[in-house]
Amino acid sequence: MGFRNRELASMAGRISTREGVPNKSTNEVRRAFQLLVENNLPKMQKDLDSLEPKDRIKFMLDMAKFILPQLQSISIDDLREQEAQGFNVLTINLKNGSNDSNSI
């Protein structure tokens, strides 16, 4: 009985998460939210204009999380693992412009 349940669960997973097939409910929610924002743009702009500059910037940064893709952080161990797998890893050290060797 256990094997059959695993087999059915595996089949269901393959059917429900087909690569390249968009999630219908997610798309519907995104479209509804987009319409909500579009229909309230004048009010949102007025509210945004009434904020202090620091609050306005905070709001914009918070909203950017929903619009722009986020960069994924990576650890030194991840870099070493990638190098071990044959990937070429490029490391960039940012300096503050002085002769001082501290990275920013």
Side-chain angles (χ1 to χ4, degrees):
M1 186 74 170
F3 175 75
R4 181 77 177 135
N5 288 343
R6 275 186 289 178
E7 186 178 284
L8 289 173
S10 176
M11 246 170 43
R14 284 193 300 271
I15 291 169
S16 68
T17 58
R18 292 174 290 166
E19 188 174 332
V21 177
N23 183 322
K24 185 178 176 184
S25 60
T26 300
N27 287 338
E28 289 173 359
V29 169
R30 285 184 179 155
R31 180 67 185 139
F33 185 74
Q34 180 180 359
L35 287 172
L36 177 69
V37 170
E38 287 173 2
N39 291 334
N40 288 286
L41 278 176
K43 171 85 171 116
M44 289 174 62
Q45 184 62 56
K46 184 178 175 186
D47 293 342
L48 189 58
D49 290 341
S50 71
L51 294 174
E52 293 292 320
K54 66 179 175 67
D55 294 328
R56 193 169 24 254
I57 291 171
K58 181 183 181 325
F59 173 80
M60 288 184 210
L61 291 174
D62 288 344
M63 290 295 99
K65 295 175 189 174
F66 297 100
I67 299 166
L68 302 173
Q70 291 184 334
L71 299 176
Q72 186 176 14
S73 64
I74 187 165
S75 71
I76 295 298
D77 291 335
D78 292 336
L79 290 174
R80 288 186 183 129
E81 184 178 317
Q82 288 177 0
E83 283 179 329
Q85 293 175 355
F87 289 96
N88 293 328
V89 177
L90 172 66
T91 304
I92 300 173
N93 291 321
L94 300 175
K95 308 272 182 189
N96 64 6
S98 67
N99 291 333
D100 163 4
S101 63
N102 295 330
S103 295
I104 321 180

